[in-house]
Amino acid sequence: MRKNEDGFRRLLMAGTAGASLILSLSSAHVAMAQDSAPAAAAEEEAEPAIVVTGSRIDRKGFEAPTPTTVIGETELRQGARPSIAQVLNDLPQFRATQSPASTVANTNSSASAMDLRGLGVTRTLTLLNNRRFTGSSDLNTIPQGLVKRVEVVTGGASAAWGSGAIGGVVNIILDDNLQGLTIGAQNGVSSRGDGYRYSFDATFGTKFADGRGHFMIGGEYQNDQGILDRNSRKNVGSANLFSPVGGDHDYVLVRDVNSSTTSLGGLITSGTLKGQTFNTDGTLRAFQYGSQVSGSSMVGGEGVSTNDEYALTNPYQRVNSYARASFEVGDATFWADGSYSRIWAKYPFYAENGTYTLSASNPYLSQSIRNQLAAAGESSIKVGRFFEDYGYRTFGYYRQNVEGAVGVDGSFADGKWRYSAYYSHGENRNMQSYDNQITGSNLTAALDAVRDSSGNIVCRVALTDPSTACRPLNILGEGAASQAAIDYVFGNVARVVYTTKLDSAGASLRGDPFSTWAGPVSVAFGGEARWEEQVTNSLDATSAAKGFSRFNFSPLDGGFNVQEVFGEVAVPLLDQPFSKLDVNGAARYSRYSTSGGIWSWKLGLTDRLFDNLLIRVSRSRDIRSGSLAELFTTTTTSFTTVAENGNTYNITRYGGGNANLKPEIGSTLTLGAVFTPTFLPGFNLSVDYYDIKLKDAITSLGAQDIISGCGNGNTALCDSIVRDASGAPTTIYTTYINLAEYKTKGVDIEASYTLPLNKVSDGLGGTMRFRGLATYVDKVLINDGMTSVDRAGDVGDNVSFGTPHWRATGSVNYTSQDVSIDARVRYVGGGKFNHALDIANNDIGSRVYVDLGGQVNVDKFTLFANINNLFDRDPPLTTYGAIHYDTIGRYMTVGAKVRF
């Protein structure tokens, strides 16, 4: 550890924001103190914990030109977040993604992946201890008690780390020096008494064989009951875009927007009885329309909104476990690890609804109604119906991840050269099911009701096939149907099971082969290979025949493999008190079985001036081939609202894979400076500008973007829209495609200051730590080949790549041996709901959230409490989701840990 003293000193000077160091010795000591470790032990652990370069090269003193932020124990604790993904979503560099606490109506429930720069989750490479793993698409799978820190490399890093790192790299580092046994538990609940969550966790680590061996194991169980009632929160219930008749704008965002063409008892939507709804006894009364009616929507009235039925947050349960054993043999350390995780839930989604045609002679119609239809010469009626009385669709799932890896890390030539090699295999089994949805052919048969020769009401098919299972369905009035008919129409279950497999292997060699006049030249090179595959284990027969009304699972079978070789070099050019100049370069060749070979590269330069200012610049060519989901995914289904020509429509959105996708190519420029003044130890300030251009971007457009693009003349997008006889859109297909171009640019700002209070006064103890991070996104340009749309500042839902201009987080932490107190402020900028639409109230205001937390150490016990969103700030008014903003409101967590 004492070798290369000058390089280590330069590393320390880089500071928190300098891409090479996030925790100063004092703050590392603080982190250890939070675990009730003795002060001496904290100092011993501080040094080896702080080398972070964001590069394959691990020479101390090397400052990589790509910015790196590290989330240490203080940040991991703040907010008492239930998963690593939600911890990272608090950082301004990330665009908030779907999680159990931020869901919309889709079939990918509770998966949490990371999205750096708002480029999409597939462009953030997520690693566990420097290697790929099958749980990267859902960070709910990692036991939080084992996480030591998270390194976030912001900027193009494909050449150093591999395909997918266009937005950057998230590297989760586990504590492989864990000692002792820790057992913990915590509970959380919102100030409204819902959203109850509780969890248990335990970790254990020990050395053996005179310290040459180490074993660690950890696990956790969590149960989150979710929040099913969206209307328990302001602004996230039945709000929607509405087209006012004769208004000054095309649309207005308004609360309590409901369907004007359906009702719970059945609304007649055509003919002489139009506007009448059925009572429970089958008689008619006038439907209560809202204060304003436009097309199929209205404000108020007795209609129903699907947006009311979606869960605010998904309930779920999860179990995670991880174990690792290592053993030193000479200068080599052999290791093996394994993990198991499972997350599962089953909860109501929303009710079936639609408009159905009945014969005017349907025997469930009263004689009076049949007479009126006959007098009007009408042979049928159309009835719009919400089937809440027969229960909501119920969505169920479990995702089970099993993974194991073996490897070796070592050195030779007196430690001048270091090597690593590993092989891992992981399998993720994903089951999804839908109960209580309509089987289309059964509904058609059940609605065609007649009387048989005995006067009984039966399905028409029963007249010729008495053995049929069909039972006639009465949809005229709530609760009117027989259970047998409900079972026949709603009884089939959609179910599918997929297994995703990942095999990966890699080897690397790192060292300093020679020195220049300015210091050692460092190199890293190696190779990696991986094989990815997804197979369908089972699929229900009705889905296979596309027989359900909307949600039909599809088979997904496909795979690819890739082989890569890479190299990286860092060359010091100048080592003087006034300037320490280094250049860095990396290159990688990747050969995909689906698309052939492709190069990525990076060039960078750093210059530390007078040990106070670090200047850094990098330029990279980054690549990404299509993922399994993008190439081969099953059909995904979601529901949303789109606006077109002054009207709004509820539509079904289907997504799917595309095996003909080309690799996308990114070009990233970063320019930055890090100020670490020697006259103010513990202070760090960094400012980094980034400019990312992505060609042939692989993406699936939002439904509104497809509608808007079609209206702007992109005929290819028009082909993705299915319309009814009146021309209204009913279905939109959003298959993955290669867009023409995608651009984003902005600025990251990070500042921190660590102040041991004994430097202020000898009588004071503990440490104060101040930290602030902010990101300004100037542009998010999406070019579909016809038009270019800037989505920076668009913060409404149903907007692809919508991103606030500003996000920021600031925190103050006081820590002593016995007490830790945290205060954090989170800022999310406002903007337009959707600047491409003429909305009367298009402006959305910013939000500031305040979080407080604290913990007390008493002997072996730690007690902690936390309040998120202390002032209970409401989210802005949106349609069905507010992913950038807090929708839960004030949330309180308490817990305890005991160490042995």
Side-chain angles (χ1 to χ4, degrees):
M1 185 64 197
R2 296 303 175 188
K3 296 180 180 180
N4 197 357
E5 291 278 357
D6 183 60
F8 185 61
R9 180 182 61 81
R10 290 169 60 187
L11 173 65
L12 292 178
M13 294 301 296
T16 299
S20 299
L21 174 67
I22 187 65
L23 300 176
S24 67
L25 288 177
S26 58
S27 60
H29 179 277
V30 168
M32 296 302 297
Q34 293 163 0
D35 287 348
S36 299
E43 294 291 350
E44 290 176 0
E45 291 295 326
E47 288 189 329
I50 58 178
V51 180
V52 180
T53 66
S55 168
R56 290 282 185 176
I57 294 172
D58 57 6
R59 172 171 65 84
K60 294 179 176 60
F62 166 63
E63 297 174 327
T66 306
T68 300
T69 296
V70 173
I71 307 307
E73 292 187 56
T74 300
E75 290 79 14
L76 290 171
R77 187 187 67 245
Q78 284 177 338
R81 297 303 194 186
S83 73
I84 296 299
Q86 288 171 259
V87 171
L88 297 178
N89 275 342
D90 288 336
L91 297 182
Q93 298 98 324
F94 290 89
R95 182 180 185 270
T97 58
Q98 180 181 306
S99 72
S102 58
T103 183
V104 291
N106 57 42
T107 56
N108 193 28
S109 177
S110 301
S112 300
M114 304 321 301
D115 184 1
L116 273 167
R117 304 295 184 212
L119 291 166
V121 297
T122 56
R123 298 180 186 92
T124 298
L125 177 59
T126 304
L127 306 174
L128 180 65
N129 284 340
N130 302 309
R131 59 178 173 83
R132 296 175 186 259
F133 66 113
T134 51
S136 62
S137 61
D138 185 5
L139 298 191
N140 294 299
T141 62
I142 299 172
Q144 287 181 265
L146 295 177
V147 177
K148 186 175 187 178
R149 66 178 185 270
V150 182
E151 303 172 5
V152 180
V153 182
T154 53
S158 293
W161 293 102
S163 173
I166 291 176
V169 177
V170 173
N171 193 6
I172 301 168
I173 305 298
L174 302 185
D175 186 1
D176 56 8
N177 289 314
L178 183 70
Q179 296 291 310
L181 172 65
T182 301
I183 300 174
Q186 63 174 291
N187 290 266
V189 67
S190 81
S191 59
R192 293 163 178 81
D194 55 14
Y196 180 64
R197 180 177 69 234
Y198 64 92
S199 64
F200 305 95
D201 64 273
T203 61
F204 174 73
T206 186
K207 294 181 179 180
F208 60 91
D210 296 325
R212 290 181 296 157
H214 181 264
F215 174 76
M216 60 183 282
I217 189 170
E220 64 181 8
Y221 168 77
Q222 186 170 108
N223 187 318
D224 190 321
Q225 297 182 3
I227 303 172
L228 299 183
D229 182 9
R230 296 183 65 82
N231 288 299
S232 64
R233 303 305 194 271
K234 186 178 180 180
N235 296 340
V236 291
S238 57
N240 216 325
L241 287 176
F242 182 75
S243 305
V245 177
D248 295 331
H249 299 271
D250 291 342
Y251 310 101
V252 61
L253 189 60
V254 64
R255 298 179 180 85
D256 199 22
V257 176
N258 301 304
S259 170
S260 64
T261 58
T262 57
S263 71
L264 294 176
L267 173 64
I268 299 176
T269 60
S270 64
T272 188
L273 299 178
K274 180 179 180 180
Q276 300 287 303
T277 188
F278 287 91
N279 297 308
T280 55
D281 60 359
T283 59
L284 290 175
R285 62 173 173 82
F287 181 71
Q288 297 177 18
Y289 287 96
S291 59
Q292 298 183 66
V293 179
S294 177
S296 61
S297 299
M298 64 183 181
V299 179
E302 64 172 306
V304 182
S305 169
T306 304
N307 285 1
D308 286 328
E309 300 176 335
Y310 304 142
L312 179 68
T313 68
N314 291 334
Y316 67 92
Q317 297 182 70
R318 76 175 191 226
V319 172
N320 300 330
S321 61
Y322 174 91
R324 184 182 192 271
S326 61
F327 195 83
E328 296 178 7
V329 180
D331 291 330
T333 299
F334 295 87
W335 59 266
D337 70 6
S339 62
Y340 172 85
S341 68
R342 177 169 176 165
I343 181 170
W344 70 96
K346 193 167 188 176
Y347 56 91
F349 203 17
Y350 64 94
E352 284 275 12
N353 64 85
T355 300
Y356 311 100
T357 301
L358 300 179
S359 169
S361 61
N362 188 293
Y364 288 121
L365 292 168
S366 68
Q367 186 62 54
S368 172
I369 294 174
R370 292 200 300 270
N371 292 341
Q372 293 180 67
L373 294 174
E378 297 175 9
S379 60
S380 65
I381 60 171
K382 291 184 180 298
V383 178
R385 182 70 150 83
F386 254 90
F387 290 103
E388 285 189 358
D389 48 335
Y390 304 143
Y392 285 10
R393 284 189 178 101
T394 301
F395 179 55
Y397 70 91
Y398 76 78
R399 290 190 297 274
Q400 178 177 281
N401 192 73
V402 180
E403 190 157 11
V406 294
V408 59
D409 301 304
S411 63
F412 59 91
D414 294 327
K416 294 181 179 179
W417 289 92
R418 299 182 58 82
Y419 61 87
S420 299
Y422 76 92
Y423 167 76
S424 69
H425 172 78
E427 296 190 6
N428 187 303
R429 187 177 179 88
N430 184 2
M431 186 284 293
Q432 298 181 27
S433 66
Y434 260 103
D435 298 19
N436 208 42
Q437 67 169 328
I438 289 172
T439 302
S441 59
N442 289 9
L443 177 66
T444 299
L447 291 179
D448 191 11
V450 297
R451 292 189 182 273
D452 64 10
S453 58
S454 300
N456 299 315
I457 300 177
V458 298
C459 301
R460 185 181 299 276
V461 67
L463 299 178
T464 55
D465 181 13
S467 64
T468 181
C470 181
R471 297 295 181 269
L473 182 71
N474 182 6
I475 65 171
L476 307 179
E478 289 187 75
S482 68
Q483 189 60 50
I486 295 171
D487 292 343
Y488 176 70
V489 174
F490 294 85
N492 290 331
V493 177
R495 187 177 186 275
V496 68
V497 181
Y498 304 115
T499 298
T500 303
K501 301 179 181 180
L502 170 64
D503 289 86
S504 62
S508 64
L509 182 64
R510 307 174 301 280
D512 302 339
F514 60 91
S515 297
T516 68
W517 56 91
V521 173
S522 298
V523 298
F525 55 89
E528 295 175 332
R530 66 182 185 275
W531 300 261
E532 298 188 40
E533 178 186 16
Q534 187 157 4
V535 296
T536 305
N537 302 107
S538 66
L539 177 68
D540 71 276
T542 305
S543 284
K546 303 299 181 186
F548 287 112
S549 58
R550 289 186 179 179
F551 281 100
N552 289 284
F553 294 116
S554 300
L556 171 54
D557 298 281
F560 66 88
N561 60 77
V562 58
Q563 295 80 42
E564 301 179 300
V565 292
F566 64 87
E568 185 174 1
V569 59
V571 181
L573 299 181
L574 191 62
D575 187 6
Q576 297 294 325
F578 61 86
S579 175
K580 294 176 175 61
L581 180 66
D582 294 340
V583 295
N584 170 252
R588 177 179 292 256
Y589 179 75
S590 306
R591 184 166 186 83
Y592 288 86
S593 60
T594 52
S595 56
I598 191 166
W599 281 94
S600 54
W601 52 261
K602 181 188 73 173
L603 292 174
L605 179 147
T606 63
D607 191 5
R608 178 162 289 283
L609 305 176
F610 297 101
D611 284 336
N612 283 268
L613 182 65
L614 174 71
I615 304 296
R616 57 190 177 199
V617 59
S618 69
R619 183 65 181 266
S620 63
R621 181 183 194 262
D622 303 290
I623 59 98
R624 188 182 73 87
S625 183
S627 65
L628 285 173
E630 293 164 333
L631 293 167
F632 309 113
T633 190
T634 183
T635 301
T636 60
T637 309
S638 62
F639 302 97
T640 187
T641 302
V642 295
E644 183 181 44
N645 299 326
N647 295 302
T648 57
Y649 305 94
N650 295 317
I651 62 97
T652 304
R653 175 186 173 187
Y654 292 112
N658 180 357
N660 297 316
L661 292 172
K662 299 183 295 182
E664 56 188 22
I665 299 175
S667 175
T668 302
L669 170 67
T670 62
L671 299 167
V674 183
F675 182 50
T676 55
T678 55
F679 58 82
L680 186 59
F683 177 78
N684 307 274
L685 172 66
S686 71
V687 180
D688 289 279
Y689 166 83
Y690 66 89
D691 188 332
I692 302 173
K693 299 177 181 178
L694 191 62
K695 293 184 178 180
D696 294 321
I698 300 170
T699 191
S700 174
L701 290 177
Q704 183 61 58
D705 292 328
I706 289 180
I707 289 286
S708 300
C710 173
N712 290 329
N714 190 328
T715 56
L717 295 182
C718 295
D719 293 339
S720 300
I721 305 171
V722 177
R723 301 178 183 273
D724 62 18
S726 67
T730 59
T731 304
I732 295 179
Y733 290 88
T734 58
T735 304
Y736 285 102
I737 58 174
N738 286 105
L739 278 179
E741 195 172 40
Y742 176 101
K743 299 179 181 179
T744 183
K745 60 182 179 179
V747 176
D748 288 332
I749 305 169
E750 181 174 349
S752 67
Y753 180 52
T754 302
L755 177 64
L757 293 182
N758 58 13
K759 292 185 178 181
V760 178
S761 173
D762 291 337
L764 296 177
T767 301
M768 295 294 298
R769 183 168 182 257
F770 307 85
R771 191 180 190 190
L773 300 97
T775 293
Y776 172 72
V777 180
D778 181 51
K779 298 288 184 183
V780 179
L781 293 173
I782 303 171
N783 188 333
D784 62 12
M786 295 290 294
T787 58
S788 183
V789 180
D790 184 3
R791 288 304 187 187
D794 279 353
V795 293
D797 41 41
N798 198 25
V799 178
S800 295
F801 303 107
T803 305
H805 278 300
W806 278 101
R807 287 191 72 205
T809 300
S811 62
V812 179
N813 167 260
Y814 167 78
T815 301
S816 68
Q817 187 74 14
D818 301 319
V819 176
S820 178
I821 301 173
D822 302 308
R824 180 173 65 170
V825 176
R826 294 176 285 132
Y827 173 82
V828 182
K832 300 292 185 181
F833 181 86
N834 186 340
H835 84 278
L837 298 179
D838 179 24
I839 304 173
N841 51 343
N842 213 356
D843 293 327
I844 290 181
S846 61
R847 291 294 186 274
V848 175
Y849 305 107
V850 177
D851 309 324
L852 293 179
Q855 66 178 37
V856 178
N857 299 320
V858 182
D859 192 18
K860 295 180 179 181
F861 291 88
T862 297
L863 307 176
F864 61 90
N866 189 88
I867 302 177
N868 285 334
N869 195 354
L870 176 66
F871 299 109
D872 200 27
R873 290 297 309 276
D874 293 323
L877 187 65
T878 55
T879 62
Y880 62 88
I883 202 164
H884 303 295
Y885 305 94
D886 187 331
T887 59
I888 297 175
R890 186 185 300 114
Y891 194 88
M892 298 157 288
T893 305
V894 295
K897 291 185 178 182
V898 58
R899 295 168 177 81
F900 301 95

